Amino acid sequence: MREQGYERLKELTGLLREAGRVYYQESGEIMSNFEYDRLYDELQSLEEELGITLSGSPTANVGYEVLSELPKERHESRMLSLDKTKETEGLKEFLGEKRALMSWKLDGLTIVLTYRGGKLYKAVTRGNGEVGEVITSNAKVFKNIPLQISFKGELILRGEAVISYRDFEKINDGIEEAAAKYKNPRNLCSGSVRQLNNEVTAKRNVRFYAFSLVQADGVDFSNSRACQMEWLKSQGFEVVEYHIVERDTVEQEVRWFSEKISGNEFPSDGLVLVLDDIAYGRSLGQTAKFPRDSIAFKWADETRMTELLEIEWSPSRTGLINPVAIFRPVELEGTTVSRASVHNISIMEELELGVGDEIEVYKANMIIPQIARNLTRSGIRDIPKLCPVCQGRTEVQQVGNAKALYCMNPECQAKHIKAFSLFASRDALNIEGLSEATLEKFVARGFIREFSDIFHLERYSEEIKGMEGFGEKSYRNLIASIEKARVTTLPKVIYGLGIAGIGLANAKVICREFHNDADALIHADEESLNSIDGIGGVLAGAFVSYFKDENHIKLLLNLLKELEIPEEIVDNTERVLEGKKFVITGSVTHFANRGEVKELIESLGGKVTGSVTAKTDFLINNDVNSASSKNKKANELNVPIISEEEFIRMTRKAD
């Protein structure tokens, strides 16, 4: 028996080490949090029973080796993990007669910030607890970190960098490659914080919540952690939400947090209890792995048994066909759930998932439905050989650490979500309510196969009203927006087709040259297009190549049957900005947005580019004296910086 136990111990150590490596170093996932915790507890029990802890065991090591290209730095004091309990009695036993702060255990990436002279001096990730990665430039573009504070002494604090569920979904929707998609907000946050280019970090809406003050020279905190947290607030930091608790209020506070989590913007995998009495907490010391002044409370996941009814295969724009488990509806954490993403075929194989199986489901972080385990384990059956959208051939491929199913048809409608999204965008047909997420659902269900189908969604009115996130009102709003979009201009239609390199400005120039004649555009040759000022050989070639495809011509002609394109009124306005190149930055007050400014410039013969160069004639910025990068570049190149009012006076020469 001891030999069997030792073999199981070795197996669990290797399995959990690999899961940890993928999770921390590759921002990936090969098992659920539920499964990891279950195996971790089994390993810990075996180690205690056998008196053996192998090298590399996750119960003995804090974190994992850092392998990124970011600079490394050793922490002044080792950052330990927290001991944990899943029972409120464990919290009471830890607390005794003392007061403590109970707060969210946010599920992100722990960061250590250092301030000197009132300015952010350094930001370092937790790393393996002893050595972290220096991410100072990235921290400076977090959404809520103060770059300067009133306190001038050395301040060291710790907190959690997190990304909201909403931003997670939005960012993941924009990632083309299936292997590059993130499994959860925590993995996305890790990848965002550890970028080598902080421009990427800046776009990810990372926020920082302080949870511990390590050092603040010369400040008297009256021996209270709560006082420290309030002081951090006074310095401009957002701190993790916390409540003061005592032994007799522990249960009601745990209940309060557990009831609130379903509405939380950020993921939390439990609670933290830290003693308010700083001196007493320090006197307790620490073990090799845990501090003794704090403890983590892991959510005791509410689980339900149910029956797997089917595996729904949902195609995406990358060609990846995602398996989704559909099961008999059950109540979990106060809501009814009936479906859970399985992510990939490897996880299906691990669960030996088959229709009719009895499965146990839960909500990860009390939010995201997941399959905890499969009691029947009948095995995978009927992986589709044909794509459910286009009926093209499918193929199982190895992607990183996992196997996934792909549609091999390059013309599959599901792969053209970006094209449909561009078509519905503001500068094209401007159809409100057709987000990429909605388009994915419509395409997957066969509602949309080409552009013209968008104008006949009323055929599927009942199905759409019954979809998650839809209802009578949202359906009516969508149809109204589609009807409004029927009246448009030919340049917006041409731009909406997504021809390589053809933006709205180029589409306007080309349509003007061919007198808004769709037939002439379809049969245009490279020579005539190349002769148009600003088009050139590359764009001319792309335009002609697009319409060499008979299917593209058919798509356009079908679309035009649905649209009303009023005859363009000849504009005799003097083209006072002919040949002038502009860059627009900052906010505008006399126009709805910068797009309107751009349209006016182009209508008067000018051009708008995205960056300031020696060929730029004017930079429009209402904050003429700002220290922005565009202003600096303009000053270096002697490009005039003009306000919106100056620009308007310039255009009035056309009156």
Side-chain angles (χ1 to χ4, degrees):
M1 288 294 291
R2 184 177 174 84
E3 185 178 342
Q4 289 178 342
Y6 180 66
E7 289 303 315
R8 178 60 174 163
L9 184 145
K10 288 198 299 182
E11 179 186 5
L12 288 171
T13 300
L15 182 60
L16 292 174
R17 280 182 64 185
E18 176 62 11
R21 184 190 67 78
V22 172
Y23 186 79
Y24 286 102
Q25 295 176 10
E26 299 179 4
S27 296
E29 189 172 307
I30 60 174
M31 67 175 64
S32 68
N33 288 340
F34 185 96
E35 183 70 2
Y36 184 93
D37 285 346
R38 187 181 71 78
L39 296 179
Y40 183 99
D41 290 343
E42 182 185 349
L43 174 61
Q44 198 168 44
S45 296
L46 268 175
E47 288 176 340
E48 290 174 3
E49 178 187 333
L50 299 173
I52 298 172
T53 301
L54 297 176
S55 173
S57 169
T59 68
N61 291 339
V62 181
Y64 296 85
E65 289 301 312
V66 177
L67 298 176
S68 79
E69 299 175 49
L70 291 163
K72 313 299 189 299
E73 182 169 301
R74 185 169 295 277
H75 295 296
E76 292 183 16
S77 59
R78 191 171 177 229
M79 297 182 66
L80 303 174
S81 298
L82 294 179
D83 199 0
K84 70 181 183 213
T85 179
K86 291 188 177 182
E87 306 294 334
T88 54
E89 285 303 316
L91 295 180
K92 291 180 181 179
E93 183 181 338
F94 165 82
L95 190 54
E97 301 306 314
K98 295 292 184 179
R99 289 194 340 151
L101 280 64
M102 180 178 285
S103 63
W104 299 111
K105 185 175 181 293
L106 294 176
D107 193 14
L109 194 69
T110 300
I111 307 292
V112 184
L113 301 181
T114 301
Y115 286 76
R116 291 180 183 172
K119 294 183 178 180
L120 177 61
Y121 171 72
K122 181 171 57 179
V124 184
T125 67
R126 178 181 184 275
N128 66 1
E130 294 183 356
V131 177
E133 299 160 306
V134 180
I135 49 100
T136 310
S137 63
N138 293 344
K140 287 179 178 179
V141 297
F142 287 4
K143 290 301 176 185
N144 64 336
I145 281 186
L147 299 181
Q148 189 163 319
I149 59 176
S150 59
F151 178 66
K152 302 305 178 188
E154 180 162 89
L155 167 65
I156 303 174
L157 69 152
R158 295 173 181 172
E160 200 79 355
V162 290
I163 287 178
S164 71
Y165 287 112
R166 180 182 299 176
D167 286 323
F168 163 70
E169 291 172 1
K170 182 178 178 181
I171 292 165
N172 240 8
D173 281 345
I175 297 174
E176 292 289 345
E177 290 299 320
K181 285 182 181 288
Y182 295 91
K183 293 293 187 295
N184 53 53
R186 189 266 172 206
N187 292 350
L188 172 60
C189 185
S190 175
S192 301
V193 169
R194 298 161 65 214
Q195 288 286 329
L196 296 177
N197 181 352
N198 71 352
E199 286 186 28
V200 178
T201 307
K203 296 175 183 176
R204 299 286 177 84
N205 292 331
V206 181
R207 301 186 75 87
F208 174 87
Y209 291 92
F211 60 67
S212 175
L213 191 154
V214 178
Q215 176 185 329
D217 292 340
V219 182
D220 181 7
F221 295 112
S222 303
N223 195 39
S224 167
R225 293 281 184 194
C227 184
Q228 287 183 336
M229 297 291 271
E230 294 307 307
W231 183 83
L232 285 171
K233 286 184 185 178
S234 74
Q235 295 296 313
F237 295 96
E238 289 190 58
V239 303
V240 65
E241 183 177 21
Y242 71 91
H243 291 181
I244 300 294
V245 299
E246 296 176 346
R247 185 184 179 91
D248 60 356
T249 62
V250 163
E251 287 189 17
Q252 70 184 55
E253 292 296 348
V254 168
R255 188 160 51 250
W256 184 91
F257 277 98
S258 66
E259 289 172 354
K260 189 178 179 185
I261 191 172
S262 61
N264 266 15
E265 210 178 329
F266 298 101
S268 165
D269 56 356
L271 303 173
V272 173
L273 204 63
V274 58
L275 297 175
D276 185 49
D277 187 325
I278 298 172
Y280 176 72
R282 286 176 179 164
S283 73
L284 298 176
Q286 60 189 44
T287 68
K289 186 172 173 64
F290 309 123
R292 290 196 173 101
D293 69 343
S294 50
I295 189 171
F297 175 80
K298 299 283 284 185
W299 301 120
D301 296 303
E302 181 182 353
T303 62
R304 290 285 185 274
M305 303 307 301
T306 186
E307 180 189 359
L308 180 65
L309 300 177
E310 66 171 301
I311 296 292
E312 178 184 281
W313 297 90
S314 179
S316 70
R317 74 194 74 161
T318 62
L320 175 68
I321 304 178
N322 298 293
V324 179
I326 310 297
F327 45 83
R328 291 197 187 281
V330 291
E331 288 287 322
L332 275 177
E333 312 293 355
T335 62
T336 301
V337 294
S338 60
R339 53 195 293 127
S341 175
V342 189
H343 299 304
N344 55 53
I345 290 175
S346 291
I347 291 178
M348 288 183 67
E349 289 177 341
E350 178 194 330
L351 291 168
E352 297 181 67
L353 208 56
V355 172
D357 287 354
E358 185 180 10
I359 58 175
E360 184 178 24
V361 295
Y362 74 108
K363 281 187 177 180
N365 291 349
M366 299 176 75
I367 298 288
I368 305 170
Q370 301 274 288
I371 297 176
R373 59 193 179 116
N374 180 8
L375 278 70
T376 311
R377 306 186 79 87
S378 65
I380 299 177
R381 301 185 296 275
D382 304 324
I383 294 175
K385 292 182 171 55
L386 299 177
C387 170
V389 169
C390 70
Q391 299 303 302
R393 182 177 64 86
T394 65
E395 184 178 290
V396 176
Q397 297 181 354
Q398 186 75 29
V399 183
N401 294 291
K403 287 189 283 187
L405 185 67
Y406 281 84
C407 171
M408 305 309 293
N409 175 16
E411 295 303 317
C412 177
Q413 292 89 347
K415 295 184 180 181
H416 299 297
I417 299 297
K418 281 287 185 187
F420 290 125
S421 179
L422 172 66
F423 180 79
S425 67
R426 186 177 63 185
D427 286 342
L429 273 288
N430 193 21
I431 304 174
E432 293 182 10
L434 271 188
S435 66
E436 288 192 11
T438 298
L439 283 164
E440 281 206 52
K441 293 174 184 176
F442 287 0
V443 170
R445 287 164 173 77
F447 301 168
I448 299 174
R449 296 181 181 276
E450 60 177 275
F451 297 129
S452 60
D453 291 336
I454 290 173
F455 296 93
H456 293 286
L457 288 176
E458 73 282 351
R459 297 168 179 164
Y460 312 101
S461 59
E462 294 308 311
E463 294 99 314
I464 293 173
K465 291 174 191 176
M467 287 169 56
E468 185 178 350
F470 265 87
E472 181 69 39
K473 184 178 179 181
S474 54
Y475 168 76
R476 286 202 311 267
N477 289 341
L478 173 60
I479 295 301
S481 181
I482 289 171
E483 290 305 309
K484 183 180 177 182
R486 285 184 185 274
V487 181
T488 187
T489 67
L490 190 59
K492 289 188 174 185
V493 174
I494 297 300
Y495 167 66
L497 296 177
I499 302 170
I502 304 298
L504 183 57
N506 292 326
K508 287 178 179 177
V509 170
I510 293 170
C511 288
R512 188 184 301 125
E513 182 71 19
F514 289 90
H515 309 292
N516 288 301
D517 184 337
D519 188 64
L521 289 173
I522 290 170
H523 297 98
D525 57 43
E526 286 192 44
E527 184 179 353
S528 57
L529 286 162
N530 199 11
S531 66
I532 301 172
D533 183 37
I535 297 303
V538 174
L539 294 183
F543 195 93
V544 171
S545 176
Y546 180 87
F547 286 113
K548 278 182 179 177
D549 187 325
E550 290 294 328
N551 188 50
H552 289 163
I553 295 175
K554 180 183 175 184
L555 291 176
L556 176 59
L557 295 178
N558 287 345
L559 174 59
L560 290 174
K561 292 174 186 176
E562 306 296 335
L563 302 176
E564 179 185 341
I565 300 178
E567 188 175 341
E568 189 177 84
I569 299 171
V570 178
D571 185 2
N572 294 317
T573 302
E574 183 184 351
R575 293 168 65 82
V576 295
L577 303 181
E578 189 74 54
K580 299 295 183 185
K581 292 184 174 63
F582 292 79
V583 172
I584 312 165
T585 190
S587 59
V588 293
T589 57
H590 295 280
F591 297 84
N593 49 55
R594 293 204 298 257
E596 280 196 3
V597 184
K598 180 181 177 183
E599 283 195 17
L600 178 57
I601 290 171
E602 291 172 348
S603 71
L604 297 175
K607 292 184 179 179
V608 177
T609 60
S611 57
V612 178
T613 69
K615 294 183 179 180
T616 304
D617 292 293
F618 297 98
L619 169 64
I620 301 174
N621 187 353
N622 280 326
D623 190 354
V624 175
N625 297 314
S626 81
S628 70
S629 59
K630 284 189 172 68
N631 275 27
K632 287 180 181 177
K633 191 68 175 177
N635 286 324
E636 288 173 10
L637 298 172
N638 294 317
V639 173
I641 305 172
I642 60 174
S643 67
E644 196 177 348
E645 287 78 7
E646 290 174 286
F647 166 70
I648 291 171
R649 286 197 294 273
M650 186 185 297
T651 64
R652 281 176 181 162
K653 294 176 184 178
D655 294 346

